[in-house]
Amino acid sequence: MSSNNFFLKLGVDNRCMSSTRRALLATSGLIATAGCVRPIFGPAHDKIGSLSLRAQTPSTVAERTTTPVTVRALGPYGHTLVRRVLDDGSASYTAADTLVAEGEIVQQDGAFYELTHETTGHTPAMAYPIEFEATVPATTSVDDDETVSFDALPAVDRSALRTGLINELWRRLSRTEGRVSGDGELVYPATPSGPTESLVVPTPEYDTVRYGDGQVRLSVTGEATETRLHSYRLEGSTVATSEEAYVSDVLTRSRTDAVKLEASTLTDRQHDILQAAIDQEYGHDQPIDDASSAYRTLVVRLFASDSDPESVDLVDLSGSEAMVVYDGTLYRASYTVSTP
């Protein structure tokens, strides 16, 4: 998923977007560990490697590879746009960047839809650098002379905030009460005299905007720079009309970053190891430093596929997890190293 600027370029961690291709690993809490360094447990002598594979049910696959149609997942305006797509087939909006990840999968009433964008135009714009601090719940009142309600702002301010700062921050803050601060940009259409109706830029008349049950303090920190706003049409196409059909689509169209284990690429010994690992713990019967070539190659392929099997210390892969497609089924694979 691309970085979500949405009239805003955040100076704090951006959405990971979550895209469907990474959702099985990221959304479910699993971490792709290929190429990562794990804690060293000391000499590999007498350490035993255990590989397990757990089959993923259709409901689990659907849950972990789709984006919920909620404010928490999409932000308030992103949620509005996706609801409009599901109800009407498409939605148009203007922003500095897309509000929904390209290829995002959502579901409604048992059907699954893929969201895609078409860029329909561009307009000159000005980006104003800002610092912000968003808080939920709010600590100020709209009766405060320095505070203004979002609904009381001019349309130009509501548009810039709704598709940028507020959509991204409220997506984060909807997950828990708290505070998010950082720096970024608010983007306004370019006009000869600037956004003269704005109460936010270039010189804010209020330092705090109340939105919903929260607030955001902001200040302009420098001169505006030239940029562009983009017009998008967001559409949804049907992927599947049942969980079973969707899982089949996930596997056949490679909608995940799962490791694909084709039967023709595995040795008989590797097939035996995988069969033993399915739905039970499988401990290799020799110290890691004496692991067979079949075992070592398989483990590295699952958890460090870009590495040379002979150069990887299997102990370093302890704690690794990955999604695996084997014999037409999706599994969650895990690998641990222990001392017998």
Side-chain angles (χ1 to χ4, degrees):
M1 185 161 82
S2 65
S3 172
N4 291 305
N5 295 324
F6 321 138
F7 278 3
L8 167 74
K9 296 178 182 176
L10 290 176
V12 292
D13 291 340
N14 284 330
R15 267 180 90 180
C16 82
M17 25 308 9
S18 139
S19 68
T20 302
R21 289 183 58 80
R22 287 185 291 273
L24 278 168
L25 299 176
T27 306
S28 66
L30 304 179
I31 305 299
T33 56
C36 296
V37 176
R38 291 288 174 177
I40 301 298
F41 293 91
H45 185 63
D46 291 336
K47 296 285 191 293
I48 302 298
S50 295
L51 175 67
S52 67
L53 271 69
R54 297 288 182 266
Q56 304 297 284
T57 65
S59 294
T60 299
V61 174
E63 178 183 353
R64 292 178 176 175
T65 61
T66 60
T67 297
V69 185
T70 63
V71 171
R72 176 176 180 174
L74 299 166
Y77 192 52
H79 174 257
T80 296
L81 290 172
V82 172
R83 292 296 323 169
R84 193 176 301 162
V85 169
L86 294 176
D87 293 341
D88 303 331
S90 67
S92 297
Y93 65 98
T94 299
D97 201 355
T98 56
L99 272 70
V100 180
E102 187 71 7
E104 200 83 77
I105 304 293
V106 297
Q107 63 171 309
Q108 175 177 256
D109 299 331
F112 297 79
Y113 304 88
E114 180 177 10
L115 301 177
T116 57
H117 285 88
E118 178 185 355
T119 302
T120 59
H122 312 278
T123 56
M126 301 298 292
Y128 293 82
I130 61 168
E131 291 181 348
F132 60 84
E133 179 182 272
T135 307
V136 175
T139 59
T140 63
S141 167
V142 291
D143 296 328
D144 188 326
D145 291 340
E146 300 300 322
T147 301
V148 62
S149 167
F150 174 83
D151 293 333
L153 289 171
V156 67
D157 287 329
R158 296 198 306 272
S159 180
L161 288 166
R162 180 176 58 242
T163 58
L165 187 67
I166 282 178
N167 191 74
E168 175 62 8
L169 294 182
W170 258 253
R171 184 188 65 81
R172 301 180 192 181
L173 290 169
S174 67
R175 301 173 186 180
T176 181
E177 294 184 351
R179 181 178 67 88
V180 177
S181 62
D183 55 63
E185 294 177 341
L186 285 177
V187 182
Y188 287 74
T191 61
S193 56
T196 56
E197 297 181 359
S198 175
L199 300 181
V200 176
V201 300
T203 304
E205 296 190 22
Y206 301 91
D207 66 9
T208 302
V209 176
R210 282 287 304 270
Y211 181 84
D213 59 350
Q215 68 182 45
V216 56
R217 295 182 183 274
L218 56 87
S219 61
V220 178
T221 58
E223 297 295 323
T225 57
E226 294 182 359
T227 186
R228 291 198 304 176
L229 288 170
H230 310 286
S231 297
Y232 299 105
R233 181 164 56 247
L234 180 65
E235 298 179 324
S237 58
T238 303
V239 171
T241 56
S242 69
E243 284 187 347
E244 291 74 15
Y246 173 67
V247 172
S248 176
D249 181 82
V250 166
L251 299 180
T252 59
R253 296 184 58 180
S254 299
R255 292 188 183 276
T256 78
D257 285 337
V259 178
K260 311 298 191 301
L261 296 179
E262 301 292 342
S264 61
T265 66
L266 300 169
T267 67
D268 290 343
R269 177 57 178 153
Q270 287 173 334
H271 279 293
D272 292 341
I273 293 171
L274 289 168
Q275 289 298 327
I278 292 173
D279 294 329
Q280 62 179 312
E281 290 292 331
Y282 174 73
H284 196 254
D285 58 0
Q286 60 181 319
I288 292 297
D289 55 355
D290 292 329
S292 67
S293 175
Y295 182 85
R296 171 180 289 278
T297 301
L298 178 62
V299 171
V300 172
R301 181 176 177 183
L302 291 174
F303 305 109
S305 58
D306 294 333
S307 302
D308 177 4
E310 297 306 316
S311 66
V312 174
D313 186 343
L314 297 186
V315 176
D316 293 351
L317 297 179
S318 184
S320 296
E321 293 185 315
M323 301 309 297
V324 179
V325 177
Y326 173 64
D327 196 24
T329 301
L330 186 67
Y331 296 93
R332 176 170 64 89
S334 60
Y335 183 70
T336 60
V337 174
S338 60
T339 302

